[in-house]
Amino acid sequence: MSRRRSNNLQVPQANAALQQLKYEAAQELGITIPQDGYFGNVVSRETGSLGGYITKKLVQQAEQSLSGSSRMQ
């Protein structure tokens, strides 16, 4: 059975930036990202925290972009 991904990037060129954001967020939260990239053995609380933190950062960046501010927090 093939698995279809429903979370395709709208801008594939953004993948590197999103990966970097994921590693930075994990480091700030003290979460260790598995070397092989497989999150199946990571506690769901940690992956949820990581996803929430990334979403928060992306929203902050979008708000700053829309307001014309170039400052990052």
Side-chain angles (χ1 to χ4, degrees):
M1 179 167 86
S2 68
R3 185 173 166 186
R4 197 180 104 192
R5 290 182 56 157
S6 63
N7 60 346
N8 296 326
L9 294 176
Q10 296 299 310
V11 182
Q13 299 83 355
N15 190 42
L18 289 171
Q19 290 299 318
Q20 181 65 30
L21 181 59
K22 178 171 54 175
Y23 283 100
E24 289 173 5
Q27 185 176 17
E28 288 182 33
L29 295 173
I31 298 171
T32 303
I33 293 184
Q35 294 287 6
D36 60 2
Y38 175 68
F39 281 85
N41 297 322
V42 178
V43 179
S44 60
R45 181 180 189 103
E46 289 182 346
T47 57
S49 295
L50 184 57
Y53 188 83
I54 291 170
T55 301
K56 178 181 171 184
K57 286 292 204 181
L58 289 172
V59 168
Q60 285 176 342
Q61 289 176 2
E63 288 175 341
Q64 290 171 353
S65 175
L66 290 171
S67 72
S69 173
S70 61
R71 239 184 38 204
M72 294 297 291
Q73 293 182 5

